Structures are given as structure tokens and as C-alpha cells.
């Protein structure tokens, strides 16, 4: 594997983790505000893992957790 391919692979991995983390902050912050810390933390972790393993699903996972938090906090 040459240097360019290695750099590209590292960029893809780091990018997926960062984007998953950024979208995961939505349910995390929402869960903290609604006093559902465990569910918010689970949303953050699942968003990071989901975006890393299944590239592009981080935002959808974050939205699903945000909806669950909003419904459960009523």
C-alpha cells in the first residue's frame, strides 16, 4: 500500500469518527437537558459506531435517538 492510499484510508476513518461524534452530540445534549443521561450517551456512542461501521448512517441514528428522548421525556 502506498503513502497516498494510506493517507486516504486514515482520512476516511477519522472523518467517519468525527462526523459520527458531531451528529451524536445532538442526542447527547438533548438527553442531558431532559435528564435522560444514559439514553443520550447511548445515542452518542451508537451514532459514532453506526457512522464508522455503516458509513453515512450516523445522522439517522442520531435523529432516531433524539425522537426517542423527546417522546420519553413527556
Amino acid at each position: 500500500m502506498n503513502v497516498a492510499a494510506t493517507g486516504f484510508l486514515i482520512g476516511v476513518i477519522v472523518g467517519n469518527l468525527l462526523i459520527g461524534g458531531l451528529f451524536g452530540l445532538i442526542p447527547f445534549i438533548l438527553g442531558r437537558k431532559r435528564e435522560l443521561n444514559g439514553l443520550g450517551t447511548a445515542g452518542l456512542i451508537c451514532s459514532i459506531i453506526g457512522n464508522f461501521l455503516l458509513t453515512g448512517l450516523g445522522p439517522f441514528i442520531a435523529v432516531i435517538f433524539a425522537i426517542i428522548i423527546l417522546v420519553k421525556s413527556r
Side-chain angles (χ1 to χ4, degrees), residues 28-44:
F28 181 72
I29 293 171
L30 190 62
R32 290 191 56 125
K33 286 186 178 183
R34 305 279 177 145
E35 297 181 1
L36 294 169
N37 295 330
L39 199 54
T41 304
L44 174 66

